[in-house]
Amino acid sequence: MRKVPITITLPENLIRDLHLYIPERGISGFVSNLVKRGLEEKKYSVAQQYREAAADEERNREAAEWDVCIGDGLDETNEYKAR
């Protein structure tokens, strides 16, 4: 997989600890693994929230009531277009 350099800003104490505990040539891999794990947790959390929302019958009934607004003259960009 192609790697892309980025610049991030971290507190000095974290940089100091990174250099103390992680070999110089291993910092990118270490940070990459942490980001990957964090993103996996975030994706799982968002998916779980969607599952919970889909299972919420009261919320779904209320959302269905708002379906009458579909076709109210706004397009998907929410810009009014006169007919």
Side-chain angles (χ1 to χ4, degrees), residues 4-71:
V4 179
I6 66 166
T7 301
I8 60 172
T9 304
L10 298 172
E12 279 185 39
N13 63 321
L14 286 180
I15 298 296
R16 209 172 19 256
D17 285 349
L18 265 174
H19 288 289
L20 183 63
Y21 294 103
I22 308 299
E24 185 72 31
R25 310 271 315 146
I27 291 175
S28 288
F30 179 78
V31 171
S32 180
N33 286 333
L34 290 176
V35 169
K36 183 178 178 183
R37 251 188 297 169
L39 284 173
E40 287 170 356
E41 290 174 13
K42 188 67 165 171
K43 288 176 186 179
Y44 177 82
S45 173
V46 168
Q48 182 63 29
Q49 292 170 11
Y50 274 104
R51 284 190 290 273
E52 289 171 6
D56 184 341
E57 293 179 13
E58 181 179 343
R59 178 208 151 281
N60 292 333
R61 271 193 301 279
E62 187 174 325
E65 291 177 18
W66 284 96
D67 283 348
V68 298
C69 294
I70 294 174

